[in-house]
Amino acid sequence: MHYRIATVISSALMAIAPTIALAQPLPVATAQPVPPPNYDESRVPKYVLPELLAMKNGQRVVDAVAWRDKRRPEIVRLFEQYVYGKAPDMPADMSFKVKSTADALEGTAVRKEVTIRFTKDGTGPKIDLIIYLPKATKRPVPLFVGLNFGGNQTIHADPGITPSDIATMKPPVPSKALAGPFAQDRGSSSQQWPVEKILARGYGLATAWYGDIEPDNRDGMRLGVRQLYLNRGQAKPADDEWGAIAAWAWGLSRMMDYLQTDREIDAKHVALIGHSRLGKTAVWAGARDERFAMVISNNSGCGGASLARRRYGETVTRITTALPYWFCENYRTYANRIDALPVDQHMLLALVAPRPLYVASAEGDRWSDPHGEFLSALGASPAYRLLGTDGLPATEMPEVEHPVQGTISYHIRHGKHDVTDYDWQQYLDAADRHFKRK
Ligand code: GCU
């Protein structure tokens, strides 16, 4: 891949609101029928997971040095090659502009808006980051970072938030058409972003709209960052190059690039969180980029935390049919022969080791395969133990709302596919524990 900067088509497409955290099968247009999802545990096929602590050539991985120098890079490459695709390094011409800093939320917070650009002349996609820092907490502050689904204005009703430029959204994942300014959806996902609670616990929060990085649809690439890196005459990335999830994950790393420059932020204590498709994104970003000190997978499901070989709920067959552009092209070739894939998702989670990892499921989110998310966290544990931590301190799936918390933590809560106060409560407690704030 030559990292030539191409011209970005900037004409806005239909103004459609982004999808909000669907947990349901999306309509699929396909020549081959996709089998209906299995929700019966007794019908999960027998499978053998690829060995976490053995090299491809069979050599055992017996110590931390072998993990770090050999096996970890090998697993990263396998996920690049077969699942998410390879992304470029940090762009040479990236720039940050702090657009505003102001008191907000009745004087309890400082709100900053920062724009990240990737080209020298400032054209092409940009990321508009919004950051809240607790006013009274001493600097630098630890922070949660994650992408949002609906635009920065949806995370809180704060009228000072500049609405994201969501005019680039387009089907096939439409919800409602929007007309005019987007102010009417201010705060519409504030339940998933308990800003005041996060600030009161002494953490900051940084987020950006994922569509800034690349709109979430089959044509999204035309307006997103992947376009910047195509060679002349190249219409799409090569079979082992980045899909949309890898692009969003790349964007998270660019956000981290900024956070590291901000003296008010403790960049060594940044917890990365993501829900659903953005949970898949968070895990891949956190797996690759070790600057994220903690990684949280909220209901990330297929292509995220849950084991692909179980074929429970959403399958690789289904996801690569409905949402092929999320992954690299090579992934699709495994859709109907998943046992041949050289990786499974426990290996992805293991890449976070020895950093704290939190995997969370919801009882009503069978589509994401809660048990498969648990087993994957368990399957990542040997890498954690090899690196001298406890991994996941459980062997059996815990009861609903009985979290197990070690360096790997897991809970399943009541309710549906969502990010709730219950989830945040556990994440804040876990961050306190791991960042030694208690
Ligand atoms: C769909 C998709 C899931 C995804 C979810 C979401 O349900 O099939 O893989 O996690 O959307 O991101 O909301």
Side-chain angles (χ1 to χ4, degrees), residues 89-103:
D89 296 333
M90 183 203 283
D93 291 325
M94 185 167 55
S95 64
F96 310 123
K97 180 161 190 222
V98 179
K99 287 192 311 184
S100 66
T101 304
D103 280 3

Side-chain angles (χ1 to χ4, degrees), residues 22-26 28 34-39 276 280 300-302 306 312-315 318-319 322-323 362-370 373 417:
L22 306 169
Q24 258 128 66
L26 292 164
V28 189
V34 173
N38 171 42
Y39 290 126
S276 207
K280 309 181 209 300
S300 65
C302 181
S306 66
Y312 181 104
E314 185 172 31
T315 58
R318 172 73 192 210
I319 205 167
L323 300 152
E363 202 183 15
D365 184 23
R366 295 185 309 163
W367 183 240
S368 298
D369 187 13
E373 297 187 313
H417 185 73

Side-chain angles (χ1 to χ4, degrees), residues 7 19 67 79 83 85 245 320 378:
T7 319
T19 174
W67 170 263
F79 276 99
V83 183
I245 288 177
T320 55
L378 194 60

Side-chain angles (χ1 to χ4, degrees), residues 129-422:
L129 194 56
I130 173 144
I131 304 172
Y132 284 105
L133 301 176
K135 181 97 192 223
T137 306
K138 75 170 181 7
R139 301 320 193 220
V141 287
L143 169 134
F144 285 83
V145 64
L147 296 171
N148 65 71
F149 277 91
N152 290 349
Q153 76 285 1
T154 63
I155 71 142
H156 196 284
D158 178 0
I161 303 178
T162 306
S164 294
D165 178 13
I166 69 168
T168 50
M169 271 321 252
K170 181 176 167 288
V173 276
S175 58
K176 59 179 170 132
L178 281 182
F182 304 119
Q184 70 268 38
D185 63 350
R186 278 191 190 282
S188 60
S189 62
S190 57
Q191 293 229 310
Q192 294 190 336
W193 299 98
V195 178
E196 279 84 354
K197 201 165 287 173
I198 296 167
L199 298 177
R201 295 282 294 260
Y203 294 88
L205 173 69
T207 180
W209 178 50
Y210 78 137
D212 270 357
I213 305 162
E214 176 162 320
D216 186 1
N217 62 70
R218 280 172 208 252
D219 293 332
M221 214 200 73
R222 293 198 298 131
L223 297 172
V225 295
R226 285 192 287 161
Q227 181 71 30
L228 295 175
Y229 290 91
L230 292 175
N231 295 317
R232 192 181 299 277
Q234 192 186 2
K236 59 184 177 79
D239 292 353
D240 63 348
E241 288 178 352
W242 49 349
I245 288 177
W248 298 324
W250 181 91
L252 280 166
S253 287
R254 304 294 69 85
M255 286 156 65
M256 186 53 153
D257 296 338
Y258 167 76
L259 297 175
Q260 285 190 305
T261 69
D262 189 325
R263 294 232 184 100
E264 294 200 273
I265 292 163
D266 176 1
K268 294 221 158 17
H269 292 105
V270 171
L272 172 55
I273 180 169
H275 170 58
S276 207
R277 71 197 65 182
L278 297 178
K280 309 181 209 300
T281 302
V283 179
W284 178 231
R288 289 184 69 227
D289 189 336
E290 296 181 274
R291 293 173 299 173
F292 294 107
M294 174 172 165
V295 178
I296 303 164
S297 154
N298 194 93
N299 308 179
S300 65
C302 181
S306 66
L307 292 176
R309 280 169 174 72
R310 277 172 48 82
R311 286 153 275 201
Y312 181 104
E314 185 172 31
T315 58
V316 174
T317 314
R318 172 73 192 210
I319 205 167
T320 55
T321 308
L323 300 152
Y325 61 93
W326 284 4
F327 303 91
C328 75
E329 284 285 319
N330 283 339
Y331 196 42
R332 289 167 80 167
T333 66
Y334 288 90
N336 297 313
R337 50 181 190 114
I338 196 65
D339 293 295
L341 187 69
V343 292
D344 210 315
Q345 300 303 108
H346 65 304
M347 294 162 70
L348 175 71
L349 298 184
L351 294 177
V352 179
R355 294 164 292 155
L357 166 71
Y358 205 123
V359 175
S361 311
E363 202 183 15
D365 184 23
R366 295 185 309 163
W367 183 240
S368 298
D369 187 13
H371 193 200
E373 297 187 313
F374 169 77
L375 291 174
S376 184
L378 194 60
S381 276
Y384 276 78
R385 287 199 297 271
L386 191 67
L387 300 181
T389 83
D390 58 348
L392 181 68
T395 49
E396 299 289 326
M397 179 88 172
E399 300 283 305
V400 177
E401 296 186 9
H402 283 74
V404 275
Q405 298 185 332
T407 310
I408 304 179
S409 303
Y410 176 86
H411 74 242
I412 175 164
R413 61 158 170 77
H414 292 296
K416 62 179 175 58
H417 185 73
D418 200 357
V419 195
T420 67
D421 270 358
Y422 179 88

